[in-house]
Amino acid sequence: MTQKLIAAADNAFLHLDRFVSAVRIKAIGLAVALAGVVLPLALIGLLKFTQYEAEALQPLINGTPWLAWLYLVFGEVGTSALLGVVEILTAFLLIASIWSARAAILGGAIAALTFATTVSIMLVFPVWETSIGGFPWLNAAGQFLLKDVALLGFSLVILGDGLARLRAGQLR
């Protein structure tokens, strides 16, 4: 009985291909995923040039030993601006990754480093909502940072795709 149900479900799934091919669905998914990385980088990168964002970064950067040095070197406004430049540049590289394997490699690597850094903040910053029992309940900071795990993953996909294209001689 279970095997017949599974076979019927598989048959129904395969009929989806009559409406939209699996290749097309994958292409749409990749385009949406790329936009899902580019848009936060570009928009939050622009926001880094405001006093509002410079102040919002203070607890995150001050509370993270491997980032706090940025304030000593660049100051709070300079650090925010530097991060904004990196994020906007990365967004442009990721857009260019559609046409250029080298842009995919560089943009994917910078994006992966960016998102690995933000995910690493979860190691030292309080991200569990203690008022309802702590783990696994995320507070606002945890919710904000957790999405970067997916962004990190897709950045690595872009990087890997760029490396594969370069190796295959497909420099587009």
Side-chain angles (χ1 to χ4, degrees):
M1 179 74 159
T2 304
Q3 292 295 349
K4 286 184 180 181
L5 187 58
I6 291 172
D10 287 349
N11 193 35
F13 293 149
L14 291 173
H15 278 78
L16 284 174
D17 211 25
R18 290 182 181 169
F19 300 105
V20 182
S21 73
V23 171
R24 184 72 177 142
I25 292 170
K26 183 178 177 183
I28 292 167
L30 289 172
V32 170
L34 181 61
V37 177
V38 168
L39 287 172
L41 282 169
L43 296 175
I44 295 171
L46 285 172
L47 197 58
K48 294 284 194 293
F49 294 96
T50 67
Q51 188 61 37
Y52 171 83
E53 184 68 6
E55 290 172 9
L57 288 172
Q58 288 175 357
L60 296 172
I61 292 178
N62 278 329
T64 309
W66 50 92
L67 296 177
W69 66 270
L70 289 168
Y71 281 165
L72 296 173
V73 176
F74 301 106
E76 290 175 4
V77 172
T79 296
S80 188
L82 173 66
L83 295 175
V85 168
V86 169
E87 290 172 358
I88 293 167
L89 171 67
T90 304
F92 280 117
L93 286 168
L94 293 177
I95 292 168
S97 75
I98 297 167
W99 303 281
S100 167
R102 290 178 185 95
I105 294 166
L106 190 55
I110 297 170
L113 181 60
T114 298
F115 294 122
T117 301
T118 58
V119 167
S120 76
I121 293 172
M122 294 179 71
L123 298 172
V124 295
F125 202 77
V127 295
W128 309 114
E129 185 54 58
T130 56
S131 70
I132 55 174
F135 178 83
W137 313 117
L138 290 167
N139 62 21
Q143 292 173 41
F144 173 75
L145 294 170
L146 189 62
K147 65 155 176 31
D148 286 6
V149 174
L151 297 173
L152 169 60
F154 193 66
S155 298
L156 292 170
V157 168
I158 294 168
L159 171 59
D161 177 68
L163 289 169
R165 287 169 34 208
L166 187 66
R167 182 171 304 276
Q170 301 170 348
L171 300 181
R172 73 149 195 94

